[in-house]
Amino acid sequence: MVRRLISLLTVVVLIAACSPEEAELTTTTTTAPTESTTTTAPQDDYSTSTTEGDGEDDDGASGAAITEYEVVVRSSATAGETLWILINPGEYTDVDLENLIRELVDESDVTLQGINVFDDLVALEAGRIDADARTPEEQALVDEHFLVSLVDASTIRFEGPYAEFGET
């Protein structure tokens, strides 16, 4: 979103510089994200996050900006915490999903070792089961609804229907 705002401001400045006598005054309005608290477990201090966006990433590809997420499960280990995130189903781009992971990492006040993002609660629950113990139906749900993950605190891995995008 910041990159889009900077790009927009750059275009406005270039237009004004090229023809100063014909330049129009342009106003850009941004709306700060709103947050509403959702408690998912007694020890959980994370909240649902709401952000506004136009659903278009920097290369012009149209997607559905991720406007809400819910931390369904939060587990702690010595290396850091792992979050299991549920988002609304939608047509997301790889940039939308990557931005969500980066936002979660940036907003966290603890070290995040892992993040697992799903767009279906039943699939998320199946994803928490050891892969060897899953039924074929559970594995099919995971394959379809597991979208992206943060691995070893630094690698963003696209999963399931986004696996073609690899890792970042």
Side-chain angles (χ1 to χ4, degrees), residues 2-20 22-28 58:
V2 172
R3 287 185 268 166
R4 279 188 240 142
L5 183 57
I6 290 171
S7 296
L8 177 62
L9 290 174
T10 302
V11 169
V12 170
V13 169
L14 288 174
I15 291 171
C18 291
S19 56
E22 297 175 11
E24 295 180 23
L25 179 61
T26 302
T27 304
T28 302
D58 290 335

Side-chain angles (χ1 to χ4, degrees), residues 18-158:
C18 291
S19 56
E21 63 278 356
E22 297 175 11
E24 295 180 23
L25 179 61
T26 302
T27 304
T28 302
T29 304
T30 57
T31 305
T34 59
E35 292 192 20
S36 58
T37 303
T38 302
T39 304
T40 57
Q43 76 282 2
D44 193 354
D45 61 355
Y46 286 88
S47 62
T48 298
S49 175
T50 303
T51 58
E52 293 185 12
D54 62 3
E56 192 170 297
D57 61 30
D58 290 335
D59 64 3
S62 180
I66 300 172
T67 58
E68 293 184 343
Y69 62 84
E70 180 181 354
V71 176
V72 176
V73 177
R74 174 180 152 189
S75 58
S76 297
T78 55
E81 292 190 348
T82 298
L83 304 178
W84 294 79
I85 304 292
L86 180 64
I87 62 175
N88 293 325
E91 295 295 321
Y92 303 112
T93 65
D94 58 322
V95 174
D96 296 327
L97 295 169
E98 184 176 340
N99 286 342
L100 174 63
I101 295 290
R102 293 185 190 285
E103 176 184 326
L104 289 164
V105 170
D106 290 345
E107 290 181 358
S108 179
D109 56 352
V110 297
T111 301
L112 293 177
Q113 181 64 21
I115 300 173
N116 300 293
V117 179
F118 289 79
D119 67 354
D120 179 85
L121 183 58
V122 175
L124 184 147
E125 292 169 354
R128 297 194 64 228
I129 299 170
D130 185 68
D132 295 334
R134 290 182 198 139
T135 66
E137 294 81 15
E138 290 169 331
Q139 186 60 49
L141 279 172
V142 171
D143 291 342
E144 183 178 346
H145 297 284
F146 186 17
L147 307 179
V148 66
S149 60
L150 176 69
V151 181
D152 297 327
S154 63
T155 302
I156 297 174
R157 180 179 299 150
F158 294 95

